[in-house]
């Protein structure tokens, strides 16, 4: 087992532990798991599987204690990871990342998704991927975020509706 496989195995262990006992999230948060996951997303852009597993683990933490994710600025890192995944050939992997991002958005609210983030990133996601699953999950994420009036206004001001319409009619 090479080093990359060991890292992926470690994340599978974390995800399984979170699934079996959600209360373990508190102990992992106290031990610094969230900043560690942020660093994984930030420093391993070429290991797409690792980035997605880190994002899924952050989604579990967000559902357990959203403030801990916000305090560590994890939304910014998740968006960084998502933007790096836009060019992937693995649509299933991108869908998993989008699902995890949606879970984070539902737990934390849309506010952090607006900070320093151009809606163009989300539009690029839908524009570059013709996979119906990717487009559907990207649209689901935008729908959830647009439930927030401020996010929706920013989205519209940046031409999100017209770009979305153009992307979906091509």
């Amino acid at each position: 087992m090479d080093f990359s496989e060991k890292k992926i195995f470690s994340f599978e262990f974390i995800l399984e532990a979170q699934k079996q006992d959600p209360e373990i999230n508190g102990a992992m948060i106290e031990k610094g798991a969230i900043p560690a996951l942020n660093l994984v997303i930030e420093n391993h852009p070429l290991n797409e599987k690792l980035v997605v597993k880190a994002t899924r683990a952050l989604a579990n933490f967000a559902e357990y204690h959203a403030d801990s994710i916000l305090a560590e600025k994890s939304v910014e890192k998740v968006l960084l990871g998502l933007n790096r995944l836009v060019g992937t050939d693995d649509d299933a992997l991108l869908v998993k990342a989008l699902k995890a991002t949606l879970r984070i958005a539902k737990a934390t609210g849309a506010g952090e998704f607006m900070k320093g983030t151009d809606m163009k990133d989300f539009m690029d996601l839908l524009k570059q991927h013709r996979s119906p699953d990717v487009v559907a999950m990207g649209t689901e994420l935008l729908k959830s975020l647009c439930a927030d009036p401020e996010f929706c206004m920013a989205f519209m001001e940046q031409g999100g509706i017209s770009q979305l319409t153009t992307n979906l009619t091509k």
Side-chain angles (χ1 to χ4, degrees):
M1 184 181 293
D2 70 8
F3 186 65
S4 182
E5 290 172 327
K6 287 178 184 177
K7 287 189 275 188
I8 290 173
F9 178 76
S10 296
F11 278 97
E12 288 172 355
F13 175 79
I14 290 170
L15 290 167
E16 185 61 30
Q18 287 176 311
K19 186 170 85 176
Q20 287 187 18
D21 182 10
E23 293 304 313
I24 200 167
N25 287 316
M28 286 196 278
I29 289 169
E30 287 178 20
K31 297 291 184 186
I34 294 172
L37 292 168
N38 288 344
L39 286 171
V40 166
I41 292 171
E42 199 171 24
N43 295 319
H44 295 278
L46 300 178
N47 192 332
E48 296 172 344
K49 289 180 182 178
L50 193 61
V51 168
V52 172
K53 287 187 184 300
T55 302
R56 290 174 55 209
L58 286 170
N60 291 337
F61 287 130
E63 291 172 341
Y64 178 78
H65 192 259
D67 288 342
S68 61
I69 292 294
L70 296 173
E72 296 294 339
K73 303 196 182 317
S74 295
V75 171
E76 178 183 321
K77 302 304 184 225
V78 166
L79 291 172
L80 173 67
L82 191 60
N83 289 335
R84 289 175 174 169
L85 287 169
V86 169
T88 186
D89 293 330
D90 190 340
D91 290 340
L93 199 59
L94 184 52
V95 167
K96 285 180 183 179
L98 286 166
K99 282 182 182 179
T101 304
L102 175 61
R103 290 174 47 215
I104 292 168
K106 286 181 177 181
T108 64
E112 291 298 309
F113 285 83
M114 291 187 329
K115 293 181 179 176
T117 302
D118 189 343
M119 297 307 112
K120 180 183 172 298
D121 296 338
F122 292 109
M123 293 299 98
D124 285 346
L125 180 73
L126 296 177
K127 189 186 315 180
Q128 291 185 23
H129 281 274
R130 301 312 311 158
S131 161
D133 293 337
V134 172
V135 173
M137 189 50 58
T139 303
E140 186 69 24
L141 175 59
L142 286 172
K143 181 178 122 185
S144 175
L145 292 170
C146 282
D148 178 283
E150 287 182 54
F151 184 94
C152 190
M153 187 60 73
F155 182 72
M156 290 190 310
E157 286 172 357
Q158 293 181 27
I161 299 295
S162 60
Q163 186 62 53
L164 186 60
T165 302
T166 300
N167 292 350
L168 294 176
T169 56
K170 286 184 180 179

